[in-house]
């Protein structure tokens, strides 16, 4: 079953993203932090062009594929589909004085921009969408209540975890906390433990295939 933890909403032109996107060819590099960033960037500015001199980076394989659909070849980490993996790319090592556009949403972990600025880059954060709490309805609650054990939840966002803990009725929240949780990072595992989850499995990354591999491990343990 699908239980949304986040609602992603494109930001209006009044947010200031459109003028910044129009100048995207003025940046030395552009970083897209999610497939949603790609989708909403082109939704806001369909004629968006990235200059050939600008390096383009993606936080993971999914974001890289989204950019490829617009004819853009992006550099992405091979192993870690997260902020640390992105920041470990050689192309983002010697960037003193470089002008970089970071395209995504406000909030989140906010690790990339400070790290780039510490390396001497000039970072312009361009927000093309926002994360908000999902609208969970009786339909979601009933589906969760009627789902058979074992329940294995796949999670790659601390914000999504916080929304689920806050919005689910107490009996359903406690049920999830007793079940298996697959998370995309050790940081997220620590947050989940603090939120009352005990049976936690760490996936190799936030990539869907890695999260599914984690779910297979959780299911295997359940069957032992």
């Amino acid at each position: 079953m699908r239980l949304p933890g986040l609602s992603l909403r494109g930001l209006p032109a009044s947010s200031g993203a459109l003028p910044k996107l129009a100048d995207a060819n003025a940046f030395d590099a552009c970083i897209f932090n999610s497939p949603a960033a790609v989708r909403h960037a082109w939704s806001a500015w369909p004629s968006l062009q990235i200059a050939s001199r600008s390096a383009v980076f993606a936080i993971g394989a999914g974001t890289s594929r989204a950019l490829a659909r617009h004819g853009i070849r992006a550099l992405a980490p091979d192993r870690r589909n997260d902020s640390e993996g992105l920041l470990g790319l050689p192309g983002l090592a010697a960037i003193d004085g470089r002008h970089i556009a970071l395209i995504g949403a406000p909030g989140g972990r906010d690790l990339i921009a400070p790290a780039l600025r510490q390396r001497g880059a000039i970072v312009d954060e361009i927000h093309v969408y926002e994360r908000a709490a999902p609208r969970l309805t009786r339909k979601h609650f009933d589906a969760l209540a009627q789902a058979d054990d074992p329940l294995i939840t796949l999670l790659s966002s601390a914000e999504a975890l916080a929304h689920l803990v806050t919005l689910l009725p107490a009996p359903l929240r406690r049920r999830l906390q007793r079940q298996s949780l697959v998370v995309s990072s050790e940081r997220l595992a620590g947050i989940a433990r603090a939120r009352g989850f005990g049976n936690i499995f760490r996936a190799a990354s936030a990539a869907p295939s890695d999260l599914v591999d984690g779910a297979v491990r959780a299911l295997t343990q359940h069957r032992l």
Side-chain angles (χ1 to χ4, degrees):
M1 62 168 291
R2 182 177 180 272
L3 187 64
L6 290 170
S7 174
L8 305 183
R9 304 169 185 169
L11 290 174
S14 58
S15 69
L18 290 182
K20 291 180 180 180
L21 284 174
D23 293 333
N25 59 2
F27 295 102
D28 297 303
C30 295
I31 299 173
F32 290 83
N33 69 6
S34 69
V38 178
R39 182 172 70 255
H40 287 292
W42 265 269
S43 176
W45 195 261
S47 60
L48 175 62
Q49 298 289 326
I50 306 295
S52 58
R53 72 174 185 84
S54 300
V56 180
F57 297 87
I59 200 167
T63 306
S64 182
R65 287 192 295 269
L67 286 164
R69 288 193 283 273
H70 292 279
I72 296 173
R73 184 175 181 273
L75 299 170
D78 291 329
R79 297 180 180 273
R80 298 188 58 164
N81 292 293
D82 57 16
S83 301
E84 289 87 348
L86 177 77
L87 291 167
L89 290 173
L92 293 175
I95 53 174
D96 187 25
R98 309 287 280 177
H99 196 182
I100 298 177
L102 180 57
I103 302 168
R109 191 175 178 187
D110 195 26
L111 176 66
I112 299 173
L116 295 176
R117 291 184 178 117
Q118 191 172 25
R119 297 175 187 181
I122 303 164
V123 181
D124 199 343
E125 298 182 62
I126 302 177
H127 299 149
V128 294
Y129 74 103
E130 65 181 355
R131 304 178 186 92
R135 183 175 177 270
L136 298 182
T137 66
R138 175 56 58 187
K139 180 179 178 180
H140 294 107
F141 301 151
D142 289 345
L144 181 56
Q146 294 166 15
D148 294 331
D149 288 341
L151 288 176
I152 302 174
T153 304
L154 310 183
L155 199 69
S156 60
S157 165
E159 288 175 282
L161 176 61
H163 290 320
L164 291 178
V165 169
T166 301
L167 298 176
L168 286 175
L172 295 180
R173 182 184 70 245
R174 288 193 292 268
R175 186 183 182 204
L176 276 191
Q177 289 167 330
R178 292 193 299 267
Q179 300 284 332
S180 297
L181 180 67
V182 179
V183 298
S184 58
S185 69
E186 189 57 42
R187 178 188 69 94
L188 192 50
I191 295 173
R193 291 188 192 97
R195 292 281 191 172
F197 292 82
N199 196 26
I200 301 171
F201 294 82
R202 164 78 187 278
S205 77
S209 58
D210 287 334
L211 290 169
V212 171
D213 286 344
V216 171
R217 287 190 286 112
L219 185 59
T220 299
Q221 186 183 85
H222 176 79
R223 288 173 174 172
L224 292 178

